[in-house]
Amino acid sequence: MTDAPRPPLPPFTPETAAAKARAAEDAWNSRDPERVSLAYTADSAWRNRAEFFQGREAIKTFLARKWAKELDYRLIKELWACDGNRIAVRFAYEWHDDSGSWFRSYGNENWEFDERGLMRRRIASINDLPLRETDRKFHWPAPGPRPADHPGLSDLGL
């Protein structure tokens, strides 16, 4: 694993924090646990919902399990605030389970970065809302990044 710098680096401005959030969104939309894990320090500490774990291997295991359950996953992140080496984002993602039931999951994440731009702490709070397939708003080929012309959360009224 590489711990090479991952620009943009702290301290963050609103512009560089928004770029960091979009890079994270694009990586997560790849649904590639290895790719995603490289944005985190080797000992990164996570809270995701009610799960607590630490380290890249645990992150990869978690993400593989997540995307085996959350099928056709599509995510949008939006910057909420930034200060120094911290960024807060809000997000929503749509997915379905293996029975075909759709959900939109809403949440907030608090991120803390080291001097190389690697995330050393991620705290995520998430709620799931059952969704009729006809009410989905995230339509782009998956896996893959959200197209530049696809609306963001605020544009979608989320």
Side-chain angles (χ1 to χ4, degrees), residues 71-98:
L71 307 174
D72 288 325
Y73 173 98
R74 290 170 181 84
L75 165 73
I76 299 176
K77 292 185 184 280
E78 185 173 283
L79 176 65
W80 185 254
C82 65
D83 184 47
N85 69 336
R86 292 182 174 168
I87 297 174
V89 297
R90 63 189 199 93
F91 64 87
Y93 61 91
E94 293 180 350
W95 58 281
H96 67 84
D97 62 18
D98 59 2

Side-chain angles (χ1 to χ4, degrees), residues 37 39-46 53-56 58-59 112 118-122:
S37 74
Y40 301 91
T41 62
D43 62 350
S44 186
W46 280 36
F53 50 93
Q54 188 166 357
R56 283 195 188 120
I59 291 167
E112 183 179 82
L118 296 170
M119 195 182 304
R120 64 179 165 214
R121 181 175 300 148
R122 175 184 176 268

Side-chain angles (χ1 to χ4, degrees), residues 42-67:
D43 62 350
S44 186
W46 280 36
R47 179 180 61 77
N48 194 87
R49 300 178 190 255
E51 290 186 65
F52 296 80
F53 50 93
Q54 188 166 357
R56 283 195 188 120
E57 290 307 313
I59 291 167
K60 288 190 285 189
T61 299
F62 167 81
L63 292 172
R65 180 171 40 92
K66 170 187 179 61
W67 291 320

Side-chain angles (χ1 to χ4, degrees), residues 10 25 32 38 78 83 88 90 92 108 111 123 134:
E25 174 188 314
D32 178 346
L38 295 176
E78 185 173 283
D83 184 47
R90 63 189 199 93
N108 300 292
W111 301 341
I123 302 168
T134 56

